[in-house]
Structures are given as structure tokens and as C-alpha cells.
């Protein structure tokens, strides 16, 4: 399937807020076959930081996730780990890293949202959100990210609590029927607004039955 790259962002703030507000009404509906387990991996060049800010920076992103049915709580839970590395293009020097992890996040299936910058309405998305931890390099870095100046989080090289979010499109489905490969986004947000994260194409998405 041909990849379709554009200078755009994955998430829109308003729809993320709507999704988070919907947690209380969709958690019960998130119950699935208890034998279902989903493994997720996305790895490669970051779609939102490929040197778009005047050609200064590029980035790579790794996202690993798992969605499983928890017999104790009776709902789906999600595990997320991600690693973002930003490099200066001219020198090749790595100037910033962020690591994030979430152990038992709330899972909301069958989500959709309008992505104004990509001009599509994504559908059949998995959303995982919860309180986890992040660690970044002790660097105050400001970049042009998703069309806006963004000073990236700085935890001083220590693990700090943060709200972690992961969104997964297994097949790049959208109402406009444009052809996309599957992708995943993972990052941090505050007050329902994404602060920073990485997005790249899926290299593995597997639903399997656990005996």
C-alpha cells in the first residue's frame, strides 16, 4: 500500500477533548471477548517532525502497545511505551529524547475524529489514555511542531507523572476513502490537549486469541 505523506498533524485538540469526555459513557461498551489480545508496534521516521520546521530537525518514533481484557476489572486495558528522538539535520546530533510508559490505560474502541490538516475523518480507531510516566533530556527545546511553535516538555532527565495517550489506526481507514497505511500516535497531554507526541506508521498490528 502506498504511503501518503503530508505536512500535517495527526490529532485535533477539540476531538481529543471529546474523546476523553466520552470515556465515562463508553467504558462499559469496551468489554470484549476476554480471549482477545492486540499487539501494536509502530516504528520509523516521525510523520510530524521530518524537518518541516525550516529543515532544522528530523525525528524517529517507536511505539509499542498492547490491549487486553482484564478479568478483574471486566474492561479492556492498554499498555503503552514510546520513545521519540529528535536530531539536528545539519550536524546529525541528537538534541532531544522523550520516553513514556503507561501500564493500565483506559481503552476506548471504535473512535473517529476529523483531522482538518490532513483533510480526512479517521474512523475505527483505538484510543488508550491514562496516567503514566515520562522522561526527557534536560533540554529546553522549541521547535515548529504541527504548524505551531512548541517548547517541548523537560523533566530534567527524571521520570515524572504525565497523562499518556495512544491512538491507533490499524488500517488507516477514513470516510474519504483515501489510501493510508496504518499508523499510531503516542505522547503526553495536559487538560485534554496534546502537548507533544510522535506519530509513525505501523510495522505490526496483530489481534490474537489467548488460550
Amino acid at each position: 500500500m502506498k504511503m501518503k505523506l503530508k505536512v500535517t498533524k495527526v490529532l485535533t485538540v477539540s476531538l481529543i477533548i471529546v474523546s476523553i469526555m466520552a470515556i465515562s459513557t463508553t467504558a462499559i461498551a469496551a468489554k470484549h471477548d476476554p480471549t482477545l489480545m492486540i499487539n501494536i508496534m509502530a516504528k520509523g521516521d516521525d510523520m510530524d517532525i521530518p524537518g518541516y520546521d525550516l529543515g532544522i530537525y528530523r525525528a524517529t518514533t517507536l511505539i509499542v502497545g498492547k490491549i487486553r481484557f482484564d478479568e478483574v476489572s471486566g474492561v479492556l486495558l492498554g499498555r503503552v511505551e514510546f520513545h521519540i528522538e529528535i536530531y539536528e539535520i545539519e550536524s546529525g546530533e541528537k538534541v532531544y529524547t522523550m520516553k513514556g510508559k503507561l501500564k493500565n490505560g483506559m481503552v476506548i474502541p471504535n473512535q473517529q475524529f476529523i483531522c482538518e490538516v490532513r483533510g480526512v475523518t479517521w474512523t475505527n480507531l483505538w484510543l488508550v489514555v491514562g496516567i503514566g510516566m515520562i522522561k526527557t533530556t534536560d533540554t529546553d527545546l522549541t521547535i515548529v511542531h504541527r504548524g505551531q511553535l512548541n517548547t517541548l516538555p523537560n523533566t530534567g532527565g527524571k521520570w515524572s507523572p504525565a497523562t499518556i495517550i495512544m491512538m491507533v489506526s490499524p488500517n488507516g481507514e477514513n470516510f474519504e476513502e483515501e489510501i493510508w497505511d496504518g499508523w499510531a500516535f503516542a505522547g503526553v497531554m495536559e487538560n485534554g490537549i496534546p502537548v507533544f507526541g510522535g506519530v509513525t506508521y505501523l510495522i505490526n498490528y496483530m489481534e490474537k486469541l489467548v488460550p
Side-chain angles (χ1 to χ4, degrees):
M1 183 178 292
K2 184 178 180 180
M3 293 184 178
K4 197 168 185 179
L5 296 177
K6 298 181 181 180
V7 185
T8 49
K9 61 184 177 181
V10 165
L11 301 178
T12 56
V13 171
S14 60
L15 287 161
I16 288 298
I17 295 175
V18 169
S19 295
I20 300 307
M21 291 174 62
I23 289 177
S24 60
T25 60
T26 58
I28 295 177
K31 295 182 179 181
H32 277 239
D33 187 332
T35 62
L36 177 66
M37 181 178 292
I38 300 173
N39 290 322
I40 299 155
M41 178 176 285
K43 180 180 181 181
D45 291 336
D46 193 276
M47 295 162 59
D48 285 336
I49 321 175
Y52 289 157
D53 53 339
L54 304 180
I56 299 173
Y57 301 107
R58 68 175 184 88
T60 60
T61 290
L62 168 66
I63 301 168
V64 179
K66 178 174 289 187
I67 294 172
R68 61 180 176 81
F69 186 89
D70 183 70
E71 295 183 358
V72 176
S73 63
V75 298
L76 288 170
L77 295 177
R79 180 185 295 268
V80 181
E81 293 187 11
F82 65 91
H83 188 186
I84 303 167
E85 297 182 332
I86 299 179
Y87 297 85
E88 189 179 68
I89 291 177
E90 184 174 351
S91 67
E93 178 186 1
K94 182 164 60 177
V95 295
Y96 181 88
T97 66
M98 172 186 282
K99 294 181 180 180
K101 56 186 179 181
L102 171 64
K103 185 176 181 181
N104 290 312
M106 178 75 71
V107 177
I108 312 176
N110 303 320
Q111 292 296 290
Q112 65 184 49
F113 69 86
I114 300 170
C115 182
E116 295 179 355
V117 292
R118 281 189 164 92
V120 297
T121 300
W122 301 110
T123 186
N124 294 328
L125 304 174
W126 289 96
L127 177 68
V128 179
V129 63
I131 303 300
M133 303 287 288
I134 63 168
K135 181 172 72 171
T136 77
T137 48
D138 188 6
T139 304
D140 293 322
L141 181 66
T142 299
I143 66 174
V144 177
H145 181 239
R146 297 172 185 165
Q148 298 180 355
L149 279 175
N150 189 353
T151 300
L152 305 186
N154 181 355
T155 68
K158 300 178 181 180
W159 286 101
S160 299
T163 301
I164 304 294
I165 181 171
M166 178 177 71
M167 184 172 284
V168 181
S169 175
N171 300 302
E173 294 179 72
N174 57 83
F175 286 132
E176 288 72 21
E177 298 184 352
E178 293 193 17
I179 298 175
W180 289 79
D181 284 347
W183 54 264
F185 167 91
V188 297
M189 64 182 188
E190 297 176 359
N191 301 319
I193 300 175
V195 175
F196 179 68
V199 57
T200 192
Y201 286 107
L202 292 172
I203 62 171
N204 180 52
Y205 177 88
M206 181 174 62
E207 297 184 5
K208 63 180 180 179
L209 297 179
V210 179

